[in-house]
Structures are given as C-alpha cells and as structure tokens.
Amino acid sequence: MRFRTSVRGLPALACLGWSLGVVALAGAVRAEEVRVLLLETRQTLAVGTARVAPTGGPGGRLEVDGQVQGPRWEAPGSGPHQVGDHHVRGRVEVERTRDGLRVINRVPLEAYVAGTLGAEMYARWEPAALQAQAVASRTYALYQQRRRRAEPYDVGTSTRDQVYRGLAAETPEIREAVAGTRGEVLLWKGEPILAAFHSASGGQTASAAEVWGRAVPYLRSRAVADEDASPHTYWRARIARTKLGPALAPLGLDLGAIRTLRVVGRTPSGRVAHVELVGSQGSERVTARALRTVLGASVLRSTLFEIRETDDAVSFVGSGHGHGVGMSQWGAQAMAERGAGYREILATFYPGTTLARRNP
C-alpha cells in the first residue's frame, strides 16, 4: 500500500485531543522489531559472505553455500548485514516461498526509523522538520505492524510504504532527530494513526476522503504556506500525441485515437477528480488517480494540475508531489524555518491526535 511520495516521497476509538506534552503509553503499541521486506527473488542471493539459493520445486528448501537447509535460514551474527544492495541493522531471515526467496529484516524500531528518516528527508533540513518526520515514520510503522500482523512482513522498502535504506541513510543529524523523539508516536483514540505524508501539497493538503474515498478524522485538508523552495511547487509534463495512446493503453479503453483530454470536476482541495478522454471512437471518464498511475508519478507528480493541448502534444501543468494527504514534507520544513517545533508541525498536519511515548 502506497501512501505518499518521498522528497527524494483506520482506528476505532474517541478523539483525546492534541496534547502539547508527551504522555506515557503502555501495552498496545509496544514493539521491539519491525519486519521489513528487503526483497523477493528467484535467484541466488548473497547475504554477507553466504550464498543462498532456492532448491527443489515450489515450496522447497534453501541451499546455503551448497548445503541444503530447511525452509528458513537466519544470517549468523549480530550484524549489520549486507544483503545485495542493502546494509542493515538487526536480524536477516531468508524464507523459501513458492516462487523463490523472501528476505526479511527484523530491525529494532528506532534503527528502522533512522534508516527511513534519512531516505525520506534531507539530513540538512531543520531539526524540527526531521523530528516531525521521525515521529510520523515511527507511527506509520506501528500502524502497519498492527494492520499486517497476520502477514509475513510489516513494511517494504519502497515508496509503496516508506523508503528504507538502512545504514546508508544514517547521519549524525538523522540519529539526533531519532534520539530526540525516541519512542514518540501519534495516537487517535489510543491507537497509532495512519501517519500519511507526501513531498509537497501545492498549497493545500487533501483529505483522506477525497483521495481514498474514506474520511479519516485526523487526515483533513489543511492550508500549507511557503512551499516555494520545493522543486515540485510548479511543474510541467509534456506528452507527444503519438505517445499518448500507448501510455493510456493500460486503462483498457477502446476509444480509438485520443483527440482531447478534459478535466471533469475537482475535489475540495482543488485536485482533479476525473478526466474525460475523447477519442475517435467514443469518450470515457477516468479518475485522475488512475491517469496518474498509468502515466507514472514522475509525469503526473500530483493530481493538482491543468491540461493544455496543442496539435502535437498534451501538457499537464501542476503543483505539488504525491497524493497530498497528511503531512507535507516541504511544508514541515517551511514551518520549522519559521520557528515551529516538531509538536506544532505534527498538530498542524494531524489535527486532533495525541503525541505519546511508548514505555521502554
């Protein structure tokens, strides 16, 4: 599940209100490790100095340095461990699956936050912005841990969850931001929230209702100031008409040659709701999210855009990057530059939540 685009990117109880202090939290959100899916492969894999390969038919066993093992193997030693391009703290487990190998990094929560924070924000950013992101990343991990407890892993390493780079993401500034917020999470009615975030809002965040079709009390539309430093505040993407048809093919529509695209309706935050595609053999409406999926997030950086057409091309002129729900990372940086602390930043983007600290 993908909830935001990084810079480089539903609970069930009553609102306790925002607390400017930090309350102690026991029980439910205590967790020692996060299960991170590092990769899945059918090929032989290097884990440290060991070579691990699937053997036998589907659901078979593992072969480690030429020796047949059971269906699960844990890399020896306390780490850090090198797994392909990943250099990670914690434990590394390789599991035999029907299709090959699944590699899980069982990493202590605070180490996970450090390995994510440095991949999601620039280490040179204001400490308060880094601290706000640390709390959001920690909370997101715990939310997914609870939601996916019956699944083989809690989070992946890509923008479908949070970008995780392990030791490669750690710097002194990153470690300081994590240590300064150690154990702190955002709660709604006593449970970790879906701490969605995105790169830049284009001046107004979106509500969960308008993007995902379901209202979430603490993910409401908020005005965001001073994102002009973001490279995504203003953008333009041009697609030649000769390439437009093939790009739209995954939508599965039989419209013939695409003649024009029109915006049909906008959400309360100003984002495009639907786009009408008019072809030589008919017309059809698609959601802006579906259009962004087939064209790619690097083309349509957000659904906050307008369409400009010429004889030979279609141009999308827009603002912002990501789905727009929750915390704007560039907005958080702007607030920090104006002197806001991380608690104020979190209260702005996740209104009504409570900041709490997990018991050790």
Side-chain angles (χ1 to χ4, degrees), residues 50-56 59-76 94-96 101:
R51 294 182 66 80
V52 185
T55 188
R61 299 191 174 197
L62 300 173
E63 186 177 279
V64 181
D65 290 334
Q67 300 295 315
V68 176
Q69 308 279 341
R72 185 188 301 267
W73 175 80
E74 181 173 329
V94 183
E95 303 171 352
R96 183 68 162 93
L101 304 177

Side-chain angles (χ1 to χ4, degrees), residues 6-25:
S6 67
V7 168
R8 302 270 244 227
L10 307 177
L13 303 168
C15 172
L16 303 178
W18 176 261
S19 172
L20 290 179
V22 180
V23 300
L25 175 67

Side-chain angles (χ1 to χ4, degrees), residues 83-152:
V83 185
D85 295 333
H86 302 280
H87 193 205
V88 297
R89 299 184 187 277
R91 297 185 291 145
V92 170
E93 296 178 348
V94 183
E95 303 171 352
R96 183 68 162 93
T97 66
R98 181 175 181 82
D99 296 323
L101 304 177
R102 177 190 294 131
V103 184
I104 302 294
N105 179 202
R106 292 181 174 269
V107 59
L109 176 61
E110 297 304 312
Y112 170 77
V113 176
T116 297
L117 176 57
E120 287 289 355
M121 270 191 175
Y122 298 112
R124 67 176 183 271
W125 274 15
E126 293 291 327
L130 293 174
Q131 290 173 318
Q133 181 66 55
V135 174
S137 291
R138 185 182 295 111
T139 304
Y140 179 88
L142 293 174
Y143 175 89
Q144 295 292 47
Q145 185 179 68
R146 293 173 63 84
R147 193 176 73 86
R148 297 174 176 169
R149 64 180 61 183
E151 299 179 26

Side-chain angles (χ1 to χ4, degrees), residues 201 204 206-207 209-212 235 261-277 285-292 295 300-308 315-319 322-323:
S201 72
Q204 186 82 24
S207 69
E210 65 186 273
V211 174
W212 298 318
W235 52 263
L261 286 76
R262 290 195 290 259
V263 171
V264 182
R266 292 185 179 273
T267 67
S269 68
R271 288 163 172 80
V272 176
H274 293 86
V275 173
E276 184 177 40
L277 309 177
R285 290 186 181 184
V286 300
T287 65
R289 289 181 63 204
L291 186 65
R292 184 170 184 249
L295 294 182
L300 282 187
R301 302 185 202 181
S302 75
T303 56
L304 186 58
F305 61 79
E306 296 179 354
I307 299 174
R308 311 276 174 81
S315 293
F316 299 89
V317 181
S319 183
H323 52 60

